[in-house]
Amino acid sequence: NAGVTQTPKFRILKIGQSMTLQCTQDMNHNYMYWYRQDPGMGLKLIYYSVGAGITDKGEVPNGYNVSRSTTEDFPLRLELAAPSQTSVYFCASSSGTTNSPLHFGNGTRLTVT
Amino acid sequence: GENVEQHPSTLSVQEGDSAVIKCTYSDSASNYFPWYKQELGKRPQLIIDIRSNVGEKKDQRIAVTLNKTAKHFSLHITETQPEDSAVYFCAAIRGGGADGLTFGKGTHLIIQP
């Protein structure tokens, strides 16, 4: 089983550029999430989705956008990249049943210079 | 929203000794408390979880305790081994969990040989 797959693994962007971080899962999970991880700060929720066509903001949504056209895919879009968006980004999914655990992808390390 | 505090930020123990990591949460409606282990450069992986109707759960050398009245929960690792060296995150979620886990800032556990 592939689980949650993220691409790319690494990326360097210049300030003002845009990019899309891809996330796909093959577990037929309804719930999907994007977190960012900064050193010493834990994981902070950017956006989440409870099903195709439904998305909502998390704790730190500014500078990002998402879409959920299918159950499998949940891409994260960065518009006008800024140095503050340098981070490691994790996509995760869960079945959405009560107290179901999160399954994480391997992460995307993004540097904005 | 939920706020999770985690202590200590760094913990160094001798191999074979026990390690304890503590977390507190703010939302009394939270009812699911997972712990994740993250090795350097890898994704967080679930190691144990506890639900609010249980006070303690054990899995081999790791255990988690929950005090709902005081709103705190702890991870206990006994007979620590070098492979236990990692960053550990506690988390909390309420209700159906659609809006994702709230994470603590992490504890870097160092096992001294």
Side-chain angles (χ1 to χ4, degrees), chain A residues 2 4 31 33 35 37 40-45 48-50 90 96-107 109, chain B residues 31-32 34 36 38 41-46 49 51-52 87 89 93-106:
Chain A
V4 179
Y31 290 10
Y33 309 87
Y35 286 89
Q37 184 176 31
M41 296 300 293
L43 295 101
K44 292 188 180 295
L45 184 64
Y48 64 97
S49 168
V50 299
F90 286 99
T97 56
T98 301
N99 302 332
S100 53
L102 288 187
H103 299 260
F104 284 90
N106 285 325
R109 184 175 295 275
Chain B
N31 58 2
Y32 174 62
Y36 285 82
Q38 186 178 31
K42 300 202 174 171
R43 61 184 168 185
Q45 296 204 302
L46 179 71
D49 56 14
R51 290 158 176 77
S52 60
V87 178
F89 293 96
I93 197 168
R94 62 180 174 83
D99 52 351
L101 289 167
T102 299
F103 286 86
K105 293 184 178 180

Side-chain angles (χ1 to χ4, degrees), chain B residues 26-77:
Chain B
S26 62
D27 189 346
S28 57
S30 288
N31 58 2
Y32 174 62
F33 307 91
W35 286 86
Y36 285 82
K37 176 183 180 181
Q38 186 178 31
E39 296 176 349
L40 188 63
K42 300 202 174 171
R43 61 184 168 185
Q45 296 204 302
L46 179 71
I47 55 171
I48 195 168
D49 56 14
I50 192 166
R51 290 158 176 77
S52 60
N53 60 346
V54 176
E56 182 174 1
K57 183 177 178 180
K58 189 173 182 180
D59 182 4
Q60 298 183 337
R61 293 187 298 108
I62 60 173
V64 58
T65 59
L66 171 65
N67 183 326
K68 286 180 59 180
T69 303
K71 290 190 282 188
H72 65 72
F73 55 114
S74 300
L75 177 72
H76 305 252
I77 306 174

Side-chain angles (χ1 to χ4, degrees), chain A residues 28-112:
Chain A
N28 201 33
H29 283 170
N30 286 320
Y31 290 10
M32 295 188 74
Y33 309 87
W34 275 105
Y35 286 89
R36 60 176 288 172
Q37 184 176 31
D38 301 309
M41 296 300 293
L43 295 101
K44 292 188 180 295
L45 184 64
I46 305 170
Y47 270 95
Y48 64 97
S49 168
V50 299
I54 305 170
T55 63
D56 212 340
K57 296 178 180 179
E59 183 182 357
V60 290
N62 291 344
Y64 307 94
N65 277 299
V66 293
S67 60
R68 185 92 183 273
S69 57
T70 66
T71 299
E72 295 79 19
D73 299 309
F74 190 40
L76 178 71
R77 177 82 177 162
L78 278 71
E79 304 281 1
L80 298 174
S84 61
Q85 293 178 305
T86 294
S87 190
V88 179
Y89 292 84
F90 286 99
C91 179
S93 72
S94 74
S95 64
T97 56
T98 301
N99 302 332
S100 53
L102 288 187
H103 299 260
F104 284 90
N106 285 325
T108 295
R109 184 175 295 275
L110 175 67
T111 302
V112 182

Side-chain angles (χ1 to χ4, degrees), chain B residues 79-92:
Chain B
E79 300 173 12
T80 53
Q81 300 170 4
E83 55 265 35
D84 295 330
S85 293
V87 178
Y88 291 81
F89 293 96
C90 62

